[in-house]
């Protein structure tokens, strides 16, 4: 996995890249099917709802390693099936949602290059978001191998 952190005029960014042993359509389904997403994204059973289309809403309750629950909501800003998904996440106390982009690029031998990019307001928010995304990608990798 490769990681890049940057500080731009408009915020603090990170980019994570990973090559997965699964075709892009399978990786897409893992990100956009509630039952599959719940299995690898640390979600409480039955908490994931997805309307995967531009402007469509989503929600999920993430369960932390210590058993705490963190409800999340948002919308889909961009949906290009099997290629690109931009997820807008509502953040309490912020006027605008945080956006995370997931890009998929098919590679040889039914592998997929996945790139996650997010810009946050502070270095601390970026570091926390990057840590969470790294955990998600680790779990997604294991889920796709199962």
């Amino acid at each position: 996995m490769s990681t890049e952190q940057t500080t731009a005029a408009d915020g603090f960014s990170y980019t994570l890249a990973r090559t997965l042993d699964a075709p892009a359509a399978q990786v897409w389904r893992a990100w956009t099917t509630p039952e599959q997403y719940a299995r690898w994204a640390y979600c409480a059973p039955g908490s994931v709802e997805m309307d995967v289309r531009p402007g469509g809403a989503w929600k999920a309750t993430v369960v932390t390693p210590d058993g705490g629950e963190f409800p999340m909501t948002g919308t889909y800003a961009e949906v290009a099936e099997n290629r690109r998904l931009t997820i807008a996440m509502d953040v309490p106390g912020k006027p605008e949602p945080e956006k995370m982009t997931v890009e998929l690029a098919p590679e040889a031998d039914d592998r997929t290059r996945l790139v996650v990019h997010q810009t946050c307001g502070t270095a601390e928010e970026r570091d926390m978001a990057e840590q969470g995304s790294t955990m998600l990608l680790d779990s997604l990798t294991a889920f796709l191998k199962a």
Side-chain angles (χ1 to χ4, degrees):
M1 178 172 63
S2 59
T3 301
E4 176 184 320
Q5 284 190 339
T6 57
T7 304
D10 62 345
F12 296 83
S13 301
Y14 71 91
T15 301
L16 301 173
R18 189 174 290 197
T19 299
L20 302 169
D21 290 322
Q26 183 181 356
V27 177
W28 179 263
R29 284 189 305 273
W31 275 95
T32 60
T33 305
E35 298 78 20
Q36 288 191 33
Y37 186 82
R39 290 177 48 205
W40 64 268
Y42 305 100
C43 296
S47 71
V48 179
E49 295 179 19
M50 298 176 162
D51 181 7
V52 184
R53 61 183 173 85
W58 65 269
K59 71 177 185 174
T61 300
V62 175
V63 180
T64 62
D66 63 1
E69 293 191 357
F70 185 70
M72 298 180 68
T73 60
T75 58
Y76 294 99
E78 181 182 2
V79 178
E81 188 171 349
N82 298 332
R83 293 190 326 260
R84 185 178 175 98
L85 188 65
T86 301
I87 305 161
M89 299 170 281
D90 299 326
V91 180
K94 291 201 174 201
E96 296 293 320
E98 295 281 336
K99 290 185 180 173
M100 178 175 70
T101 300
V102 178
E103 295 181 341
L104 307 175
E107 293 194 344
D109 300 323
D110 278 337
R111 295 167 58 113
T112 302
R113 182 76 171 160
L114 178 133
V115 177
V116 173
H117 177 79
Q118 185 173 355
T119 300
C120 302
T122 68
E124 180 182 11
E125 289 171 358
R126 177 202 54 210
D127 293 347
M128 287 176 45
E130 181 181 353
Q131 180 182 16
S133 292
T134 299
M135 287 176 53
L136 281 176
L137 293 184
D138 289 346
S139 185
L140 174 61
T141 300
F143 172 77
L144 292 170
K145 286 182 181 180

